[in-house]
Amino acid sequence: MDGEPLVRWYWIGDHLGYLGGLLADHAVIALVPVLIGLLLALPLGLACTRFPRLYQPLAAVFNVVYALPSLAVFVVLIPYTGLATRATVMIPLTFYALAVLLPTTVDGLRAVPGPVQQAATAMGYGPWHRLAAVDLPAAVPYLVAGLRVAAVSSISLASVGALIGRGGLGYLFIDGFQRTFPTPIVAGIVLIAALALATDLVLLTARRVLAPWAVREQAVKAVGA
């Protein structure tokens, strides 16, 4: 890349539609698995709080899965889900997200004080009503914390899928490297960082809306410190 400027702005201007398409594809590949992981983590987390002995084996399995190299898992899935398909990339990302979200979900559900649960039961709340009205709202800060980690990790890992033909913005890295042309690489880095920051901002906003009391508590602790 000697002599080549870091960014050729005209290339970016000429490829805005192309970059937008890759960004949209990347967002779907990276964030849909996080949403699916959350939908799976909620019932699994509830089961682990009801049956505590279930948690350690499940956590161990997902920790092992999380430790597997993503590219190796993509290659193993290709014969079953196809080359250059979203499913090949999204299935491992779902398990990675679940490995992060399961512990935070369990911690959140366990964080509800016993007296609060007893008071809700005394007020006539059934198990499902108490779960929706008391347990899940109290667990929101933990869930959002897990979602922030899972989302940023997934946005980063999704780019590896470009090595098997489906990685959203990751294709820019391969394209730039093969052509010794740094502009696509820089554009990919900036867009991935922007997507991660935007996602994190949305999750923080959701936390403020869904659990304003947690934000106030955090502010009070910060002032006290």
Side-chain angles (χ1 to χ4, degrees), residues 1 18 21 37 42 46 55 62 96 115-116 132 139 156-157 160 165 188 193 197 206 208 212-214 225:
M1 298 185 185
Y18 170 67
L42 289 173
L46 181 61
Y55 176 60
F62 287 121
Y96 294 155
V116 173
S156 176
L157 287 171
V160 180
L197 288 172
R208 288 181 176 274
W213 50 269

Side-chain angles (χ1 to χ4, degrees), residues 140-159:
V140 164
Y142 294 84
L143 293 175
V144 172
L147 283 170
R148 292 175 67 189
V149 174
V152 172
S153 298
S154 187
I155 289 169
S156 176
L157 287 171
S159 61

Side-chain angles (χ1 to χ4, degrees), residues 33-34 36-37 40 44 61-63 65-68 73 77 89-102:
V34 177
I36 297 173
L40 294 174
L44 286 175
V61 169
F62 287 121
N63 284 338
V65 172
Y66 193 77
L68 296 176
V73 180
L77 285 174
V89 180
M90 292 170 66
I91 290 173
L93 292 183
T94 299
F95 282 99
Y96 294 155
L98 186 54
V100 174
L101 292 171
L102 180 61

Side-chain angles (χ1 to χ4, degrees), residues 173-197:
F173 303 143
I174 296 176
D175 181 42
F177 178 77
Q178 290 177 338
R179 296 194 290 151
T180 63
F181 183 38
T183 298
I185 297 174
V186 174
I189 291 172
V190 171
L191 288 174
I192 287 175
L195 179 60
L197 288 172

Side-chain angles (χ1 to χ4, degrees), residues 40-50 55 58 102 105-106 109:
L40 294 174
L42 289 173
L44 286 175
L46 181 61
C48 289
T49 56
R50 297 285 178 88
Y55 176 60
L58 274 179
L102 180 61
T105 301
V106 173
L109 293 172

Side-chain angles (χ1 to χ4, degrees), residues 102-127:
L102 180 61
T104 55
T105 301
V106 173
D107 289 343
L109 293 172
R110 287 177 176 175
V112 183
V116 173
Q117 294 179 328
Q118 293 170 6
T121 302
M123 292 172 62
Y125 284 33

